[in-house]
Amino acid sequence: MENSHSAAYAAAGVDITAGYEGVRLMKPFVERTKIPGVVSGIGGFGGLFAPDLSGMAEPVFVSGTDGVGTKLRLAQLLGKHDTIGIDCVAMCVNDIICCGAKPLFFLDYIAIGKNEAEKVASIVSGVAEGCVQSGCALIGGETAEHPGVMSPGDYDIAGFAVGVVDKPKIIDGSRVREGDALIGLTSSGVHSNGFSLVRKVFDIEHADLASPVEALNGKSLGETLLAPTKIYVKAVQALLDGGIDLHGASHITGGGFFENVPRMLPKGLGARIIPNVIPKQPIFDLIQKRGNISDHDMYNTFNMGLGMVLAVPVEQAEKALSLLAAAGEPDAVCVGCVSKDSGGMEFEKA
């Protein structure tokens, strides 16, 4: 690559050599994600992966793609770029685990106004951490410099995950039954949805992001909002490996409870949720009070403290909670049950 430098391209705002330096810096992070099946390293024209499909009657590949949304603006304002990649991985792998699929590999795409090698490597370090947390490999990606289209400090990131599940074991909600217990897995905060509203509520461009906030138990607003999205792959896999008959799974993202929980329910069934049993997170109270937002709009926008809701047979609920605790989810809680449909979602007092 020694001779790969274009003075004309550099004058137009694209520094090819910065891209090469970024790849060099990110290689140790990518190396952390290697798992059996990885055939190629980064730098080729395509990422190669040879999946082990032994023991599967009808292997089905499951894919998911997503970004981080306007949470990126917070990372840019704080100058902290090493966790936003975790969010990107989480938004993809948390979706495909809802089908019962084990994530295999991940690719990322970073568009940036000015290619700063250390910043790109920092972003990719978060992507690698997310892959490690979900047990998949980072096998490729792309960084594109967009001078004149994006300002020098701006960037965006999107990702793509592929997993596999045996066809007879696909979780598609078809086995959800009236009376099933609904188990909620706690979130790490706002995750990566609703940030356009969050930015408006706090006037984020002019907010004090660094000072401790009493209402947030002494944490700063920036630290609280930037907390990376929790990855639920290992928790859900612990249930499947532990013999739980998981009937349905819902990743609580944009649209909150009202949009996402009904997606796992067959026609004719609804969900009855008891919000009082959900572990309280002060950030949601603060958002609601500052923005004067109704309960309905809060539950229709944010995860409200639960990043995933699972439907299991009621007789397996206690075992499921025990398995989840052992898998690092001690605060998982039974938040309601599946009911006959009376409008998709119902909330009632404990």
Side-chain angles (χ1 to χ4, degrees):
M1 304 275 184
E2 291 179 5
N3 296 322
S4 184
H5 173 72
S6 168
Y9 211 5
V14 176
D15 186 352
I16 297 173
T17 56
Y20 298 148
E21 176 64 8
V23 171
R24 185 188 72 80
L25 292 174
M26 68 179 68
K27 279 186 176 179
F29 305 124
V30 176
E31 192 69 23
R32 290 183 62 216
T33 75
K34 273 197 172 181
I35 61 173
V38 174
V39 175
S40 63
I42 60 170
F45 288 101
L48 305 180
F49 192 91
D52 179 5
L53 304 178
S54 59
M56 292 192 179
E58 297 179 76
V60 175
F61 290 106
V62 181
S63 60
T65 185
D66 210 337
V68 182
T70 62
K71 185 175 185 176
L72 282 167
R73 183 59 186 153
L74 189 69
Q76 291 163 7
L77 288 170
L78 290 168
K80 181 173 172 54
H81 311 289
D82 60 347
T83 62
I84 207 74
I86 300 175
D87 291 285
C88 190
V89 175
M91 296 304 289
C92 297
V93 297
N94 284 346
D95 277 353
I96 66 175
I97 194 64
C98 287
C99 302
K102 179 181 179 181
L104 297 174
F105 59 83
F106 189 86
L107 292 91
D108 61 16
Y109 174 83
I110 300 169
I112 193 164
K114 179 177 175 56
N115 195 341
E116 301 173 53
E118 291 185 357
K119 180 187 286 187
V120 171
S122 182
I123 296 167
V124 174
S125 74
V127 176
E129 174 60 26
C131 289
V132 169
Q133 289 183 23
S134 55
C136 69
L138 177 57
I139 63 170
E142 176 71 14
T143 302
E145 198 167 9
H146 290 173
V149 176
M150 305 174 76
S151 66
D154 283 347
Y155 64 88
D156 195 7
I157 180 172
F160 176 85
V162 172
V164 66
V165 60
D166 201 0
K167 190 173 182 179
K169 297 180 180 179
I170 290 175
I171 302 167
D172 59 6
S174 61
R175 292 182 296 117
V176 175
R177 298 288 181 266
E178 181 182 0
D180 279 354
L182 295 176
I183 292 176
L185 306 186
T186 56
S187 69
S188 57
V190 181
H191 281 183
S192 300
N193 300 102
F195 269 85
S196 293
L197 179 55
V198 167
R199 289 185 302 115
K200 180 175 183 285
V201 166
F202 293 112
D203 187 15
I204 211 75
E205 298 292 325
H206 306 100
D208 180 355
L209 299 175
S211 297
V213 178
E214 185 177 350
L216 299 176
N217 297 325
K219 291 185 177 181
S220 70
L221 182 62
E223 177 189 8
T224 301
L225 292 175
L226 199 60
T229 305
K230 188 185 285 189
I231 292 174
Y232 298 103
V233 171
K234 292 180 180 178
V236 174
Q237 286 181 334
L239 294 182
L240 298 174
D241 294 343
I244 297 298
D245 185 14
L246 186 54
H247 287 173
S250 176
H251 183 198
I252 310 301
T253 55
F257 282 73
F258 284 99
E259 180 178 320
N260 291 291
V261 173
R263 291 170 65 181
M264 71 171 174
L265 302 175
K267 188 176 181 180
L269 294 179
R272 186 172 296 141
I273 301 288
I274 306 172
N276 292 356
V277 304
I278 300 173
K280 294 289 184 183
Q281 294 191 16
I283 184 59
F284 297 110
D285 287 337
L286 188 59
I287 292 170
Q288 185 168 20
K289 289 174 183 175
R290 289 275 186 95
N292 192 26
I293 303 169
S294 69
D295 286 346
H296 178 277
D297 284 358
M298 289 295 293
Y299 280 92
N300 203 36
T301 306
F302 301 109
N303 67 62
M304 299 304 289
L306 297 180
M308 187 160 287
V309 175
L310 311 172
V312 304
V314 66
E315 63 273 13
Q316 292 188 345
E318 286 191 21
K319 180 182 178 182
L321 290 171
S322 177
L323 288 169
L324 288 168
E329 293 289 340
D331 296 324
V333 61
C334 187
V335 295
C337 66
V338 176
S339 61
K340 286 186 178 178
D341 190 10
S342 60
M345 289 285 302
E346 292 180 76
F347 289 90
E348 59 183 48
K349 293 182 180 179

